[in-house]
Amino acid sequence: MIRNREELAETPAHETALDCIAAGIEATQPTRVMSEALDRDGSTLTIGDTTVVLDEYSEIVVVGGGKAAAQMANVIEDVLGDRLTDGVVVTNDPQETDRIAVVEGSHPTPNEAGEEGARRVLSLADGATEETLVLCLISGGGSALLPAPVDGVSLAELQSLTDDLLSSGATIHEINAVRKHLSAIKGGRLAAAAAPATVHSLLLSDVVGDDPSIIASGPTVPDESTYADARDVLDRYDIRPSAAIVERLENGDGERSETPTADDPAFERTELHMLANGFTALAAARSVAEEHGYTPVILSSQVEGEAREAAKTHAAIADEALATGNPVSPPAVLLSGGETTVTLDGDGSGGPNQEFVLSGALTSTSADVVVASVDTDGKDGASDVAGAIADRDALDDERRARAALAANDVYPYLAERGLVVDTGKTGTNVNDLRVLVVGESDDTR
Ligand SMILES: O=C(O)C(=O)CO
């Protein structure tokens, strides 16, 4: 899992941090999460705490999209076997399946194959009746992987707008408010297509705070955002889309004034199941920290903001723990999740997790604090590594470290010192996982 673990496992504290990271990534593997959440006993399917009686339905179809869609599809077709009637999902990480068609789309810019897949998903949902059980598999990346531009808007126009939105600095909430108002599938429209079928949506969250209407732009979730919100986002970031998009966002589709909201009949028979999120990774890391003899504290699963600034706060908490035993007495492991960002001043290489580690290790006044941080998908920012791990002693040339941070060029600095964490593509995607090991446990010596 961590390819260069041996090189990084310098001390027991480093080993603990690496084991926490590995556990978080492992616990949120889509295949594992789906297998744990689903159980079938004859005609009874359980999804978490919910029981679904399969005999009540004449057909069962599976639809969905996202980076984890193929892994999810594989598990569900194993569970359902012959009871599965049909299915199609769109992903950028395909796998072989037996019964559910897997279409390879593209991310982050949508492509023709994704559009064709999204149309197939919509058509399966459209054909559903009151006697159909629709199981919808949703994970991060679904917005790009399931493009179904509304009539009058072309894929090329959507592609160009997507690129503009992604480079604008807009949040995922803002970006998806726009996407939902230009799509025949997002913002609850897939549920509307499937009504009056029963729809159970199985979600893996890559969104801080887990708002299901944001994850993959909520194809089966009521949407409270409006055309006016979408127009505001474009104004705020000074984005000028094609005339067809402007016209659509001004006038809607002529029939429906807004995307379906919670009181829409489309949602009478829909249920959401959140199978895993950033907290799942933190909880797994917490157990491992305990096993290694540390007292774990989950600070928050929702840390956002500038990576280097968030790191200073985390380092201050670690230093406080060492100095006064608050909020926890060492040996301790501080954990957090969420998604920090980098405001680019330079054009070097690195990512938010690497900047977090460098800034955190520079801030802490003690070499008894090991700072580690990774993006759980294995790719930190635009780099090819997941993140980094360091303590203060590892930063042998502080002046260069500070210069690297100032130039947003931390990767070379960290890589030269053997401090980057390399996991390769992990198959999961629940944002960042940060681990600060404070002091050293006797158990691990
Ligand atoms: O909207 C998306 O596709 C995201 O990745 C957030 O879930």
Side-chain angles (χ1 to χ4, degrees):
M1 152 104 44
I2 297 177
R3 290 165 170 172
N4 57 342
R5 189 183 190 286
E6 234 168 84
E7 177 193 338
L8 300 173
E10 226 176 82
T11 67
H14 287 73
E15 281 180 31
T16 298
L18 297 169
D19 288 349
C20 287
I21 287 168
I25 290 173
E26 186 58 43
T28 51
Q29 288 297 321
T31 305
R32 173 169 168 172
V33 168
M34 285 284 286
S35 307
E36 282 173 2
L38 296 178
D39 197 17
R40 179 169 165 212
D41 184 4
S43 80
T44 306
L45 173 72
T46 49
I47 310 172
D49 296 334
T50 304
T51 302
V52 182
V53 180
L54 300 179
D55 284 351
E56 288 176 2
Y57 303 97
S58 62
E59 55 172 16
I60 304 176
V61 300
V62 172
V63 291
K67 293 180 184 174
Q71 291 184 68
M72 296 173 87
N74 250 316
V75 176
I76 204 134
E77 65 178 18
D78 269 2
V79 171
L80 292 174
D82 288 347
R83 279 300 271 120
L84 181 58
T85 314
D86 205 351
V88 58
V89 298
V90 187
T91 185
N92 62 343
D93 190 8
Q95 283 191 356
E96 221 171 281
T97 42
D98 288 333
R99 293 160 186 269
I100 298 171
V102 174
V103 176
E104 184 170 357
S106 105
H107 182 277
T109 307
N111 67 0
E112 287 79 10
E115 177 173 6
E116 201 205 303
R119 302 277 176 211
R120 284 174 67 183
V121 165
L122 266 174
S123 140
L124 258 190
D126 252 334
T129 69
E130 210 165 10
E131 291 186 3
T132 309
L133 171 63
V134 178
L135 297 168
C136 184
L137 311 178
I138 294 295
S139 55
S143 297
L145 291 160
L146 289 172
V150 288
D151 286 348
V153 172
S154 69
L155 179 66
E157 289 169 311
L158 194 67
Q159 287 170 325
S160 157
L161 175 64
T162 304
D163 292 344
D164 287 348
L165 281 165
L166 292 176
S167 59
S168 70
T171 65
I172 191 70
H173 290 70
E174 292 171 326
I175 293 171
N176 287 357
V178 178
R179 284 163 152 170
K180 286 191 242 184
H181 287 86
L182 296 169
S183 168
I185 196 167
K186 299 174 169 61
R189 289 196 154 116
L190 181 60
T198 299
V199 180
H200 285 271
S201 299
L202 283 59
L203 288 92
L204 303 182
S205 173
D206 68 330
V207 168
V208 178
D210 303 328
D211 180 343
S213 78
I214 302 300
I215 303 165
S217 296
T220 58
V221 185
D223 180 35
E224 303 302 328
S225 71
T226 62
Y227 282 104
D229 292 334
R231 291 195 300 270
D232 283 351
V233 171
L234 298 186
D235 282 350
R236 199 171 306 139
Y237 294 96
D238 201 17
I239 293 170
R240 286 155 215 268
S242 68
I245 290 178
V246 171
E247 144 76 20
R248 179 69 182 209
L249 295 182
E250 286 293 340
N251 300 320
D253 67 3
E255 270 175 41
R256 205 189 250 284
S257 55
E258 283 299 345
T259 41
T261 48
D263 55 0
D264 194 292
F267 303 108
E268 266 167 24
R269 296 180 179 202
T270 59
E271 201 172 317
L272 303 176
H273 307 270
M274 189 67 71
L275 303 189
N277 55 17
F279 204 91
T280 315
L282 289 169
R286 174 172 61 190
S287 299
V288 165
E290 242 159 13
E291 280 162 27
H292 284 245
Y294 290 83
T295 306
V297 177
I298 295 179
L299 298 173
S300 169
S301 63
Q302 303 185 36
V303 175
E304 295 182 288
E306 191 69 29
R308 66 186 66 190
E309 300 305 323
K312 289 177 188 165
T313 310
H314 283 66
I317 297 171
D319 284 357
E320 188 68 44
L322 280 171
T324 71
N326 290 291
V328 59
S329 289
V333 169
L334 307 177
L335 298 161
S336 79
E339 191 168 45
T340 62
T341 43
V342 166
T343 306
L344 285 177
D345 282 325
D347 64 351
S349 53
N353 290 280
Q354 292 162 76
E355 290 207 358
F356 181 95
V357 168
L358 192 48
S359 170
L362 278 169
T363 304
S364 175
T365 52
S366 168
D368 280 339
V369 177
V370 173
V371 184
S373 184
V374 295
D375 189 322
T376 53
D377 70 3
K379 192 165 165 49
D380 182 31
S383 74
D384 284 330
V385 295
I389 178 168
D391 58 22
R392 203 182 169 91
D393 283 353
L395 311 183
D396 56 9
D397 182 349
E398 273 196 28
R399 212 169 55 88
R400 231 197 103 198
R402 290 187 197 280
L405 256 182
N408 299 120
D409 196 28
V410 297
Y411 172 79
Y413 178 90
L414 293 165
E416 274 167 32
R417 286 158 182 79
L419 302 173
V420 292
V421 177
D422 178 14
T423 58
K425 200 171 174 182
T426 61
T428 189
N429 178 23
V430 290
N431 303 125
D432 301 336
L433 175 55
R434 309 179 200 92
V435 184
L436 281 82
V437 181
V438 185
E440 199 164 290
S441 159
D442 288 339
D443 291 8
T444 60
R445 273 180 228 265

